[in-house]
């Protein structure tokens, strides 16, 4: 591989990780906006999704300056685990998971729909899409 080709591949990798960082930051600030500005209290599953998205924002930034391709090894598992929680939460929202398997209390239900855009877009759906986008970019 020539030096120019290596540099181009490295630049493309940097851009992909930067886009991952933008997605993670949007999810981070979105979750803070919903809880702190709109006053929507996060349920147990929301907290688990946050636990896996917040470090991604930091790790992607650390992996960008200087660019380190190995950041994929550290961030992909976090994105996969976060996606599992997001999909499970979406299934709870949709009514596919019975109440006996829901981890939330009656005071703060995971199945309660707090925000729904266009009649079908929910917060867990958006988080799932964010995790899927991050994973696809990391795998590229």
């Amino acid at each position: 591989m020539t030096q120019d080709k290596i540099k181009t591949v490295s630049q493309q990798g940097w851009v992909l990780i930067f886009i991952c960082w933008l997605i993670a930051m949007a999810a981070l600030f979105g979750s803070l906006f919903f809880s702190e500005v709109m006053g929507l209290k996060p349920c147990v599953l929301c907290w688990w999704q946050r636990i896996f998205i917040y470090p991604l924002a930091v790790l992607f930034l650390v992996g960008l300056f200087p660019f380190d391709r190995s950041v994929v090894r550290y961030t992909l598992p976090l994105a996969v685990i976060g996606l599992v929680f997001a999909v499970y939460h979406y299934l709870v929202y949709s009514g596919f998971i019975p109440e006996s398997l829901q981890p939330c209390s009656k005071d703060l239900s995971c199945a309660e729909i707090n925000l729904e855009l266009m009649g079908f877009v929910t917060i867990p759906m958006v988080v799932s899409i964010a995790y899927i986008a991050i994973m696809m970019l990391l795998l590229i």
Side-chain angles (χ1 to χ4, degrees):
M1 211 180 252
T2 65
Q3 192 70 8
D4 290 336
K5 197 169 254 193
I6 291 171
K7 190 173 184 179
T8 302
V9 169
S10 181
Q11 288 172 343
Q12 290 171 347
W14 191 92
V15 169
L16 292 173
I17 299 299
F18 180 73
I19 295 170
C20 288
W21 177 75
L22 289 176
I23 294 169
M25 289 301 292
L28 185 149
F29 285 122
S31 71
L32 291 174
F33 176 79
F34 287 135
S35 62
E36 301 301 321
V37 177
M38 291 184 66
L40 300 174
K41 292 186 178 183
C43 67
V44 172
L45 290 175
C46 290
W47 277 115
W48 279 104
Q49 292 167 64
R50 289 177 180 202
I51 286 170
F52 291 99
I53 201 74
Y54 287 7
L56 286 177
V58 175
L59 289 172
F60 288 137
L61 188 61
V62 169
L64 285 172
F65 302 107
F67 178 63
D68 181 14
R69 292 186 64 179
S70 66
V71 73
V72 173
R73 274 192 284 166
Y74 307 111
T75 55
L76 190 57
L78 290 174
V80 170
I81 296 168
L83 178 64
V84 169
F85 281 104
V87 168
Y88 184 78
H89 196 186
Y90 181 72
L91 293 174
V92 167
Y93 252 45
S94 301
F96 290 108
I97 306 292
E99 195 171 319
S100 61
L101 295 176
Q102 295 177 8
C104 294
S105 65
K106 298 206 184 312
D107 296 336
L108 193 56
S109 173
C110 292
E112 182 181 334
I113 298 175
N114 295 324
L115 182 68
E116 199 172 51
L117 303 170
M118 296 182 285
F120 71 96
V121 178
T122 61
I123 296 171
M125 178 190 282
V126 172
V127 175
S128 298
I129 292 169
Y131 276 122
I132 290 169
I134 288 171
M135 288 171 44
M136 288 174 54
L137 291 168
L138 289 175
L139 292 173
I140 290 173

